[in-house]
């Protein structure tokens, strides 16, 4: 919740949930040369898309591979390899798989396949970045563990380099244990499953911004309590178990209404204007309309006011509906350049609140604003369209 309004909804299907982040031993089903890709059988009727141009180093599971004898070998049909789901299935498209394994913590991501040290784009302090980079490079050298990379997450800016380093070592140990386990597991084994979405929400919440965590599900409560006790002790006291049979949590926070809003094509603004949100196969279009608004000032001021309100609401709706890919926003036309710049600045500030990487590209000559948002999970309308019950929990 943000400003007493639901900002994000996550729906968990009762069956066949998200595979994102899962790590499997898969078998190469077939290789399609004209698209330079392979399709990997994950077992249980699941198949994933594996780009050969993006995955040049394959993680074979045979004893020869463990000894390094198959390093650089070309992938063949029937090979068993370790893969991670990097993107969920979208409509008719299979989930995307990667051999670059990621192990994510609150402050960092340890990567196998990429050995560089990188930083979140939202961390802009060059002095701090250089200090942390030198510390992590020294840490890798001291431990003799150079075969991995590190991505420093936005949350890391709120902690110390020692805490970041400790988490990196713990994640690296987790990686080593998984690779050792893979040598003795059969094909189609799920080596590691991703955490439930409510745990990921806790992990990915910006440090210091978490005010309270409320649940009326005993199992969720116990899992979150264990996670916070181990990883975020400072937030443990914010966890509450809600019990009131006369007023369920879903009613207290009007979650059904929030879900209904997130599935509506039209979104009304307080000013009387409205947005029309149209997801398509290729992109999402957001159209801004004046609607019932009739300002007392001149037309330019009226249009600017509606557009600024629409900018804030558009950013919220992208997060709420989990819309991703290319987003085109058709704001109401403005004649004055300073108003256009004011709008873009306001929109960019609102988009920064999104925990998912979201980039304001530019405004075209036709006045259309281009935005890209990283594809992580299925959009809300797709998940709900598959028969999911309205049991979303606000972040």
């Amino acid at each position: 919740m943000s400003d007493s309004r639901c900002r994000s909804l996550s729906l968990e299907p009762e069956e066949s949930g998200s595979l994102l982040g899962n790590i499997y031993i898969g078998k190469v089903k077939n290789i399609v040369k004209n698209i330079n890709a392979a399709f990997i059988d994950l077992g249980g009727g699941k198949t994933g898309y594996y780009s050969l141009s993006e995955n040049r180093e394959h993680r074979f599971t045979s004893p020869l591979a463990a000894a390094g004898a198959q390093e650089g070998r070309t992938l063949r049909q029937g090979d068993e390899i370790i893969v991670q789901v990097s993107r969920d299935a979208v409509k008719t498209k299979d989930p995307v798989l990667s051999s670059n394994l990621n192990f994510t913590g609150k402050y960092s991501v340890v990567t196998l396949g990429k050995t560089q040290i990188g930083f979140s784009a939202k961390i802009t302090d060059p002095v701090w970045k250089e200090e942390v980079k030198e510390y992590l490079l020294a840490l890798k050298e001291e431990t003799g563990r150079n075969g991995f990379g590190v991505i420093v997450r936005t949350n890391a800016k709120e902690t110390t380099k020692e805490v970041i380093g400790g988490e990196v070592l713990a994640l690296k140990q987790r990686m080593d244990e998984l690779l050792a386990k893979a040598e003795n597991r059969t094909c189609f084994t799920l080596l590691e499953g991703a955490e439930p979405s409510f745990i990921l929400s806790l992990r990915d919440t910006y440090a210091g911004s978490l005010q309270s965590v409320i649940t009326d599900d005993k199992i969720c409560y116990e899992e979150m309590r264990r996670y916070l006790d181990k990883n975020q002790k400072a937030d443990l006291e914010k966890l509450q178990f809600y019990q009131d049979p006369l007023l369920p949590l879903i009613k207290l926070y009007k979650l059904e209404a929030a879900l209904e809003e997130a599935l509506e094509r039209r979104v009304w603004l307080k000013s009387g204007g409205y947005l029309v949100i149209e997801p398509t196969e290729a992109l999402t279009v957001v159209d801004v309309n004046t609607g019932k608004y009739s300002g007392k000032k001149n037309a330019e001021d009226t249009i600017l006011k509606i557009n600024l309100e629409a900018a804030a609401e558009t950013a919220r709706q992208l997060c709420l509906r989990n819309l991703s890919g290319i987003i085109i926003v058709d704001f109401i036309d403005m004649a004055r350049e300073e108003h256009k710049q004011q709008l873009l600045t306001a929109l960019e500030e609102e988009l920064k609140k999104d925990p998912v990487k979201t980039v304001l590209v530019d405004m075209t000559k036709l006045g259309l604003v281009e935005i890209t948002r990283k594809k992580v999970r299925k959009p809300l309308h797709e998940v709900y369209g598959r028969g999911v019950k309205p049991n979303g929990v606000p972040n």
Side-chain angles (χ1 to χ4, degrees), residues 95-336:
V96 177
L97 308 178
S98 175
S99 61
N100 298 317
L101 308 184
N102 288 343
F103 297 81
T104 305
K106 188 168 185 66
Y107 306 113
S108 62
V109 181
V110 166
T111 63
L112 180 62
K114 297 179 181 178
T115 58
Q116 302 92 337
I117 293 178
F119 292 82
S120 162
K122 294 183 179 181
I123 298 177
T124 56
D125 184 344
V127 176
W128 187 88
K129 287 167 68 174
E130 188 60 32
E131 182 183 346
V132 172
K133 184 176 182 179
E134 288 180 3
Y135 179 82
L136 293 177
L137 286 172
L139 185 70
K140 290 174 68 175
E141 188 173 339
E142 287 172 10
T143 57
R145 299 173 174 179
N146 292 312
F148 68 98
V150 179
I151 300 170
V152 180
R153 305 187 71 199
T154 305
N155 264 331
K157 195 68 174 67
E158 306 300 324
T159 191
T160 65
K161 60 186 179 183
E162 289 79 13
V163 170
I164 300 169
E167 183 182 77
V168 166
L169 292 179
L171 292 172
K172 179 60 170 64
Q173 182 178 354
R174 190 173 120 201
M175 176 190 290
D176 292 339
E177 290 172 354
L178 179 138
L179 294 175
K181 180 171 70 173
E183 295 177 19
N184 303 305
R185 293 295 188 273
T186 58
C187 191
F188 308 135
T189 295
L190 173 62
L191 295 172
E192 181 175 288
E195 297 278 14
S197 63
F198 54 87
I199 296 294
L200 297 181
S201 294
L202 289 176
R203 186 196 70 189
D204 296 339
T205 299
Y206 290 146
S209 66
L210 190 63
Q211 296 179 343
S212 61
V213 184
I214 308 170
T215 180
D216 57 1
D217 187 298
K218 191 65 175 177
I219 295 175
C220 289
Y221 173 80
E222 291 298 336
E223 287 194 44
M224 287 191 286
R225 188 181 62 79
R226 282 193 291 270
Y227 173 82
L228 291 173
D229 187 51
K230 180 180 179 181
N231 301 284
Q232 296 173 227
K233 285 187 182 293
D235 292 326
L236 185 57
E237 63 182 19
K238 300 173 184 177
L239 178 63
Q240 304 172 41
F241 182 63
Y242 180 86
Q243 297 182 81
D244 188 343
L246 298 178
L247 185 61
L249 203 57
I250 196 170
K251 298 290 185 183
L252 178 64
Y253 285 97
K254 302 177 182 177
L255 297 184
E256 289 173 324
L259 177 59
E260 193 67 30
E261 175 200 335
L263 297 172
E264 287 287 340
R265 178 172 173 267
R266 180 175 296 191
V267 179
W268 286 99
L269 305 174
K270 289 182 179 179
S271 63
Y274 63 90
L275 311 178
V276 176
I277 302 174
E278 293 278 11
T280 70
E281 188 76 26
L283 49 79
T284 297
V285 177
V286 180
D287 187 31
V288 182
N289 297 274
T290 54
K292 303 173 183 177
Y293 184 83
S294 57
K296 296 180 181 179
K297 299 181 181 180
N298 61 51
E300 276 293 310
D301 290 336
T302 297
I303 291 170
L304 176 61
K305 179 179 175 64
I306 296 173
N307 278 342
L308 289 174
E309 186 183 1
E313 187 60 31
T314 296
R316 189 179 81 92
Q317 290 293 329
L318 296 184
C319 189
L320 179 66
R321 299 168 185 242
N322 198 22
L323 298 171
S324 56
I326 300 171
I327 297 111
I328 302 295
V329 187
D330 185 8
F331 288 101
I332 304 166
D333 291 339
M334 295 183 293
R336 294 165 61 177

Side-chain angles (χ1 to χ4, degrees), residues 1-7 261 268 270 313 316-317:
M1 300 288 283
S2 176
D3 300 324
S4 300
R5 301 184 72 194
C6 187
R7 189 169 181 87
E261 175 200 335
W268 286 99
K270 289 182 179 179
E313 187 60 31
R316 189 179 81 92
Q317 290 293 329

